[in-house]
Amino acid sequence: MSKKVYAGNLSFITTEETLQKVFSIFGKIESVSIIKDKISGNSKGFGFVTFEEENAAAQAVHTLSGKEVDGRKIRVSFAEEKSGAKK
């Protein structure tokens, strides 16, 4: 069962490739996305990483929260589904 992880307080220079590299040491990743402003295309400073295994996601949350990536201490937690979100 896959599990989505929230990654916040990202540097505006952090790329999806960087997140893939940082998070992939915990297990196989299904997808990585950094949320971008629709008009400017610039990062909003947060994104999501979806792991194939819940165990890997739990390890990433436990280990990476507060760690430095591209000069910023990132916040990592389990992502919560938006109410009314379509599956």
Side-chain angles (χ1 to χ4, degrees), residues 16-30:
E16 290 174 349
E17 291 77 18
T18 301
L19 284 186
Q20 173 89 29
K21 190 172 166 184
V22 169
F23 281 82
S24 67
I25 62 169
F26 298 98
K28 195 153 168 95
I29 292 175
E30 287 181 5

Side-chain angles (χ1 to χ4, degrees), residues 61-77:
V61 168
H62 178 72
T63 306
L64 292 176
S65 197
K67 296 292 184 206
E68 199 170 289
V69 175
D70 290 334
R72 305 266 315 251
K73 287 187 179 183
I74 64 171
R75 285 192 304 270
V76 182
S77 61

